[in-house]
Amino acid sequence: MQNINWDRLPFAYFKTDYNVRCYYRNENWGEIEVSSSEYINIHMAATTLHYGQEAFEGMKAYKGKDGKIRLFRWQENAARLRTSSEGILMAEVSDELFFKMISKAVMLNAGYVPPFGHGASLYIRPLLIGTGVQVGVNPAHEYLFMVFVGPVGPYFKEGFNPVTMQIVKDIDRAAPLGTGHIKVGGNYAGSLRASERAKKEGFSAVLFLEAKEKKYIDEAGPANFFAIKGNKYITPKSDSILPSITNKSLMQLAQNMGLEVERRPVAVDELSEFDEVGACGTAAIISPIKKIVDRESGMEYLFCKDGKAGPVSQKLYEKLQAIQFGEEKDSHNWVTILD
Ligand SMILES: *Cc1c(COP(=O)(O)O)cnc(C)c1O
């Protein structure tokens, strides 16, 4: 193993020693296989390549001061992967298989879990693809479920520093009754054009609107959106949003802190009334947003006027990280210690 500078890790692919794979054939999942190859060998007519039968998950393993490796709410990721499977007709992965696969992938690469104190963690990427051969548009009969891992630093290069977002109306991420609520690769392919343009124009990500009316906020790039207004934690409700486990956890922590939680359609017009706004997801946990610009109208909304995250976002972030790293009592039973 090479020497890793834990303080300078990007959020990027990082080669580790092993990954794990499990094949679904003849209506059954096979044995878990361990591989040290970064490549997979699949048929050129596999459904994942042509018709987008692909879903993924993103989660992290955290090492505490005690040296123990912790998973955070993995059961939620397993359940969400099944919702994704259901949405695009793929074979389902049970909780048992999901846990065996992720824990094996983490433990085989235990030396890559960043030690406590660097803000870094081990990113876990479970991936489910249709490998069966189809030329007509049909779901595959064979699937590959695999998990690879890699140490990562903060998602946004600014770290826990405020980011900027662009509202766009000429590109939608997901259709109202489409696949926005499941974690499938196709949603990302469709959003690349908007997000690359936003980056070129100087923004960190796109704030996508609900596609039907273009009045309400949907997703903050690859993350959920939330706002703080007085004593309220407000987050959009929409059929085309991917239900973030981070957001779900922040809603609980906000409630514990005595905030009122509102999950409802959030109109763009309301942005001017919010005290703090942010994006949340496993990768960045919370990215406070300092500026939102509507690309069409030029309208600007400014936050974090002192250049820092707002006090509520800061507190929520610290609370959640403290639980994930085992610094604080896990009173909701969110953490699984691997040994
Ligand atoms: C994965 C993802 C999120 C964040 O979900 P977490 O469970 O918090 O990591 C939010 N939005 C989209 C579109 C996603 O793919």
Side-chain angles (χ1 to χ4, degrees), residues 23-46:
Y23 291 90
Y24 181 89
R25 296 186 185 111
N26 303 316
E27 279 156 51
N28 280 301
W29 287 105
E31 295 295 313
I32 295 175
E33 299 171 19
V34 176
S35 174
S36 50
S37 168
E38 294 171 277
Y39 294 88
I40 53 175
N41 191 13
I42 60 171
H43 195 286
M44 63 184 176

mmCIF file of all heavy atoms in Angstrom, residues 23-46:
data_model
loop_
_atom_site.group_PDB
_atom_site.id
_atom_site.type_symbol
_atom_site.label_atom_id
_atom_site.label_comp_id
_atom_site.label_asym_id
_atom_site.label_seq_id
_atom_site.Cartn_x
_atom_site.Cartn_y
_atom_site.Cartn_z
ATOM 1 N N TYR A 23 -23.005 -12.395 -8.941
ATOM 2 C CA TYR A 23 -23.765 -12.508 -10.195
ATOM 3 C C TYR A 23 -25.133 -13.142 -9.956
ATOM 4 O O TYR A 23 -25.257 -14.096 -9.190
ATOM 5 C CB TYR A 23 -22.990 -13.356 -11.212
ATOM 6 C CG TYR A 23 -21.745 -12.667 -11.712
ATOM 7 C CD1 TYR A 23 -20.523 -12.844 -11.051
ATOM 8 C CD2 TYR A 23 -21.786 -11.830 -12.820
ATOM 9 C CE1 TYR A 23 -19.366 -12.199 -11.506
ATOM 10 C CE2 TYR A 23 -20.641 -11.191 -13.274
ATOM 11 C CZ TYR A 23 -19.438 -11.377 -12.617
ATOM 12 O OH TYR A 23 -18.301 -10.729 -13.057
ATOM 13 N N TYR A 24 -26.115 -12.597 -10.632
ATOM 14 C CA TYR A 24 -27.476 -13.141 -10.588
ATOM 15 C C TYR A 24 -27.721 -13.885 -11.890
ATOM 16 O O TYR A 24 -27.708 -13.287 -12.967
ATOM 17 C CB TYR A 24 -28.460 -11.993 -10.431
ATOM 18 C CG TYR A 24 -29.919 -12.375 -10.343
ATOM 19 C CD1 TYR A 24 -30.512 -12.667 -9.110
ATOM 20 C CD2 TYR A 24 -30.709 -12.417 -11.492
ATOM 21 C CE1 TYR A 24 -31.852 -12.994 -9.030
ATOM 22 C CE2 TYR A 24 -32.056 -12.740 -11.412
ATOM 23 C CZ TYR A 24 -32.622 -13.034 -10.174
ATOM 24 O OH TYR A 24 -33.947 -13.355 -10.088
ATOM 25 N N ARG A 25 -27.909 -15.199 -11.777
ATOM 26 C CA ARG A 25 -28.180 -16.029 -12.964
ATOM 27 C C ARG A 25 -29.218 -17.073 -12.601
ATOM 28 O O ARG A 25 -29.259 -17.544 -11.464
ATOM 29 C CB ARG A 25 -26.907 -16.761 -13.420
ATOM 30 C CG ARG A 25 -25.792 -15.835 -13.887
ATOM 31 C CD ARG A 25 -24.619 -16.645 -14.451
ATOM 32 N NE ARG A 25 -23.513 -15.770 -14.798
ATOM 33 C CZ ARG A 25 -22.342 -15.747 -14.147
ATOM 34 N NH1 ARG A 25 -22.121 -16.556 -13.129
ATOM 35 N NH2 ARG A 25 -21.397 -14.917 -14.546
ATOM 36 N N ASN A 26 -30.033 -17.459 -13.555
ATOM 37 C CA ASN A 26 -31.077 -18.464 -13.309
ATOM 38 C C ASN A 26 -31.919 -18.118 -12.073
ATOM 39 O O ASN A 26 -32.183 -18.975 -11.226
ATOM 40 C CB ASN A 26 -30.478 -19.869 -13.155
ATOM 41 C CG ASN A 26 -29.666 -20.262 -14.371
ATOM 42 O OD1 ASN A 26 -30.098 -20.030 -15.503
ATOM 43 N ND2 ASN A 26 -28.483 -20.791 -14.146
ATOM 44 N N GLU A 27 -32.229 -16.853 -11.963
ATOM 45 C CA GLU A 27 -33.075 -16.359 -10.877
ATOM 46 C C GLU A 27 -32.507 -16.520 -9.478
ATOM 47 O O GLU A 27 -33.250 -16.555 -8.487
ATOM 48 C CB GLU A 27 -34.477 -16.984 -10.980
ATOM 49 C CG GLU A 27 -35.266 -16.193 -12.028
ATOM 50 C CD GLU A 27 -36.390 -16.933 -12.685
ATOM 51 O OE1 GLU A 27 -37.205 -17.490 -11.941
ATOM 52 O OE2 GLU A 27 -36.444 -16.919 -13.922
ATOM 53 N N ASN A 28 -31.182 -16.616 -9.394
ATOM 54 C CA ASN A 28 -30.540 -16.705 -8.079
ATOM 55 C C ASN A 28 -29.240 -15.927 -8.030
ATOM 56 O O ASN A 28 -28.512 -15.872 -9.023
ATOM 57 C CB ASN A 28 -30.210 -18.176 -7.760
ATOM 58 C CG ASN A 28 -31.423 -18.911 -7.268
ATOM 59 O OD1 ASN A 28 -32.026 -18.547 -6.264
ATOM 60 N ND2 ASN A 28 -31.809 -19.951 -7.994
ATOM 61 N N TRP A 29 -28.977 -15.371 -6.853
ATOM 62 C CA TRP A 29 -27.677 -14.751 -6.633
ATOM 63 C C TRP A 29 -26.665 -15.840 -6.317
ATOM 64 O O TRP A 29 -26.955 -16.757 -5.539
ATOM 65 C CB TRP A 29 -27.745 -13.750 -5.472
ATOM 66 C CG TRP A 29 -28.485 -12.497 -5.839
ATOM 67 C CD1 TRP A 29 -29.744 -12.156 -5.453
ATOM 68 C CD2 TRP A 29 -28.009 -11.441 -6.665
ATOM 69 N NE1 TRP A 29 -30.096 -10.937 -5.992
ATOM 70 C CE2 TRP A 29 -29.040 -10.475 -6.750
ATOM 71 C CE3 TRP A 29 -26.816 -11.201 -7.362
ATOM 72 C CZ2 TRP A 29 -28.914 -9.301 -7.489
ATOM 73 C CZ3 TRP A 29 -26.686 -10.031 -8.091
ATOM 74 C CH2 TRP A 29 -27.728 -9.097 -8.160
ATOM 75 N N GLY A 30 -25.464 -15.724 -6.878
ATOM 76 C CA GLY A 30 -24.414 -16.722 -6.639
ATOM 77 C C GLY A 30 -23.565 -16.398 -5.420
ATOM 78 O O GLY A 30 -23.985 -15.642 -4.533
ATOM 79 N N GLU A 31 -22.366 -16.960 -5.382
ATOM 80 C CA GLU A 31 -21.431 -16.724 -4.280
ATOM 81 C C GLU A 31 -20.775 -15.352 -4.453
ATOM 82 O O GLU A 31 -20.597 -14.888 -5.582
ATOM 83 C CB GLU A 31 -20.314 -17.782 -4.311
ATOM 84 C CG GLU A 31 -20.786 -19.205 -4.054
ATOM 85 C CD GLU A 31 -21.327 -19.390 -2.647
ATOM 86 O OE1 GLU A 31 -20.651 -18.942 -1.702
ATOM 87 O OE2 GLU A 31 -22.437 -19.942 -2.505
ATOM 88 N N ILE A 32 -20.372 -14.758 -3.348
ATOM 89 C CA ILE A 32 -19.639 -13.485 -3.426
ATOM 90 C C ILE A 32 -18.206 -13.775 -3.891
ATOM 91 O O ILE A 32 -17.542 -14.653 -3.344
ATOM 92 C CB ILE A 32 -19.640 -12.774 -2.058
ATOM 93 C CG1 ILE A 32 -21.076 -12.377 -1.701
ATOM 94 C CG2 ILE A 32 -18.715 -11.560 -2.083
ATOM 95 C CD1 ILE A 32 -21.233 -11.771 -0.318
ATOM 96 N N GLU A 33 -17.786 -13.053 -4.911
ATOM 97 C CA GLU A 33 -16.428 -13.231 -5.433
ATOM 98 C C GLU A 33 -15.588 -12.010 -5.108
ATOM 99 O O GLU A 33 -16.064 -10.887 -5.191
ATOM 100 C CB GLU A 33 -16.484 -13.418 -6.965
ATOM 101 C CG GLU A 33 -17.293 -14.641 -7.392
ATOM 102 C CD GLU A 33 -17.523 -14.698 -8.910
ATOM 103 O OE1 GLU A 33 -16.784 -14.032 -9.672
ATOM 104 O OE2 GLU A 33 -18.459 -15.424 -9.312
ATOM 105 N N VAL A 34 -14.323 -12.264 -4.746
ATOM 106 C CA VAL A 34 -13.399 -11.164 -4.467
ATOM 107 C C VAL A 34 -12.492 -11.006 -5.678
ATOM 108 O O VAL A 34 -11.994 -11.983 -6.217
ATOM 109 C CB VAL A 34 -12.550 -11.477 -3.214
ATOM 110 C CG1 VAL A 34 -11.510 -10.379 -2.982
ATOM 111 C CG2 VAL A 34 -13.453 -11.624 -1.990
ATOM 112 N N SER A 35 -12.304 -9.762 -6.114
ATOM 113 C CA SER A 35 -11.456 -9.527 -7.280
ATOM 114 C C SER A 35 -10.457 -8.423 -6.980
ATOM 115 O O SER A 35 -10.725 -7.511 -6.203
ATOM 116 C CB SER A 35 -12.325 -9.114 -8.470
ATOM 117 O OG SER A 35 -11.503 -8.753 -9.560
ATOM 118 N N SER A 36 -9.290 -8.505 -7.623
ATOM 119 C CA SER A 36 -8.361 -7.375 -7.510
ATOM 120 C C SER A 36 -8.232 -6.668 -8.854
ATOM 121 O O SER A 36 -7.389 -5.805 -9.032
ATOM 122 C CB SER A 36 -7.003 -7.838 -6.978
ATOM 123 O OG SER A 36 -6.567 -8.931 -7.728
ATOM 124 N N SER A 37 -9.109 -7.019 -9.786
ATOM 125 C CA SER A 37 -9.111 -6.333 -11.071
ATOM 126 C C SER A 37 -10.052 -5.138 -11.014
ATOM 127 O O SER A 37 -11.104 -5.191 -10.381
ATOM 128 C CB SER A 37 -9.580 -7.287 -12.179
ATOM 129 O OG SER A 37 -9.847 -6.540 -13.360
ATOM 130 N N GLU A 38 -9.668 -4.063 -11.697
ATOM 131 C CA GLU A 38 -10.554 -2.895 -11.764
ATOM 132 C C GLU A 38 -11.512 -3.001 -12.947
ATOM 133 O O GLU A 38 -12.275 -2.077 -13.206
ATOM 134 C CB GLU A 38 -9.736 -1.622 -11.942
ATOM 135 C CG GLU A 38 -8.868 -1.284 -10.753
ATOM 136 C CD GLU A 38 -7.931 -0.141 -11.095
ATOM 137 O OE1 GLU A 38 -6.869 -0.395 -11.699
ATOM 138 O OE2 GLU A 38 -8.270 1.012 -10.777
ATOM 139 N N TYR A 39 -11.452 -4.091 -13.661
ATOM 140 C CA TYR A 39 -12.261 -4.230 -14.867
ATOM 141 C C TYR A 39 -13.316 -5.320 -14.726
ATOM 142 O O TYR A 39 -13.159 -6.253 -13.962
ATOM 143 C CB TYR A 39 -11.345 -4.544 -16.063
ATOM 144 C CG TYR A 39 -10.438 -3.372 -16.353
ATOM 145 C CD1 TYR A 39 -9.213 -3.254 -15.705
ATOM 146 C CD2 TYR A 39 -10.839 -2.363 -17.221
ATOM 147 C CE1 TYR A 39 -8.400 -2.156 -15.925
ATOM 148 C CE2 TYR A 39 -10.028 -1.264 -17.451
ATOM 149 C CZ TYR A 39 -8.813 -1.156 -16.802
ATOM 150 O OH TYR A 39 -8.016 -0.076 -17.014
ATOM 151 N N ILE A 40 -14.404 -5.152 -15.482
ATOM 152 C CA ILE A 40 -15.397 -6.211 -15.543
ATOM 153 C C ILE A 40 -15.527 -6.637 -16.998
ATOM 154 O O ILE A 40 -15.301 -5.845 -17.916
ATOM 155 C CB ILE A 40 -16.771 -5.760 -14.979
ATOM 156 C CG1 ILE A 40 -17.247 -4.470 -15.641
ATOM 157 C CG2 ILE A 40 -16.724 -5.609 -13.470
ATOM 158 C CD1 ILE A 40 -18.643 -4.040 -15.232
ATOM 159 N N ASN A 41 -15.897 -7.880 -17.161
ATOM 160 C CA ASN A 41 -15.997 -8.436 -18.498
ATOM 161 C C ASN A 41 -17.472 -8.722 -18.753
ATOM 162 O O ASN A 41 -18.030 -9.641 -18.173
ATOM 163 C CB ASN A 41 -15.157 -9.726 -18.514
ATOM 164 C CG ASN A 41 -14.958 -10.250 -19.911
ATOM 165 O OD1 ASN A 41 -15.231 -9.554 -20.900
ATOM 166 N ND2 ASN A 41 -14.504 -11.479 -20.018
ATOM 167 N N ILE A 42 -18.118 -7.900 -19.560
ATOM 168 C CA ILE A 42 -19.541 -8.145 -19.819
ATOM 169 C C ILE A 42 -19.826 -8.184 -21.318
ATOM 170 O O ILE A 42 -19.067 -7.641 -22.125
ATOM 171 C CB ILE A 42 -20.470 -7.118 -19.123
ATOM 172 C CG1 ILE A 42 -20.198 -5.695 -19.591
ATOM 173 C CG2 ILE A 42 -20.385 -7.232 -17.612
ATOM 174 C CD1 ILE A 42 -21.230 -4.692 -19.089
ATOM 175 N N HIS A 43 -20.917 -8.801 -21.641
ATOM 176 C CA HIS A 43 -21.328 -8.960 -23.041
ATOM 177 C C HIS A 43 -21.659 -7.591 -23.658
ATOM 178 O O HIS A 43 -22.246 -6.734 -22.995
ATOM 179 C CB HIS A 43 -22.566 -9.861 -23.086
ATOM 180 C CG HIS A 43 -22.868 -10.384 -24.447
ATOM 181 N ND1 HIS A 43 -23.404 -9.603 -25.452
ATOM 182 C CD2 HIS A 43 -22.712 -11.627 -24.979
ATOM 183 C CE1 HIS A 43 -23.561 -10.326 -26.534
ATOM 184 N NE2 HIS A 43 -23.151 -11.562 -26.282
ATOM 185 N N MET A 44 -21.319 -7.431 -24.921
ATOM 186 C CA MET A 44 -21.564 -6.135 -25.559
ATOM 187 C C MET A 44 -23.059 -5.825 -25.718
ATOM 188 O O MET A 44 -23.431 -4.674 -25.921
ATOM 189 C CB MET A 44 -20.872 -6.061 -26.927
ATOM 190 C CG MET A 44 -21.371 -7.071 -27.937
ATOM 191 S SD MET A 44 -20.381 -6.934 -29.436
ATOM 192 C CE MET A 44 -21.093 -8.275 -30.387
ATOM 193 N N ALA A 45 -23.899 -6.839 -25.590
ATOM 194 C CA ALA A 45 -25.347 -6.594 -25.701
ATOM 195 C C ALA A 45 -26.018 -6.547 -24.322
ATOM 196 O O ALA A 45 -27.242 -6.649 -24.225
ATOM 197 C CB ALA A 45 -25.992 -7.657 -26.586
ATOM 198 N N ALA A 46 -25.223 -6.358 -23.267
ATOM 199 C CA ALA A 46 -25.788 -6.261 -21.913
ATOM 200 C C ALA A 46 -26.739 -5.065 -21.826
ATOM 201 O O ALA A 46 -26.460 -3.997 -22.378
ATOM 202 C CB ALA A 46 -24.661 -6.106 -20.891
#
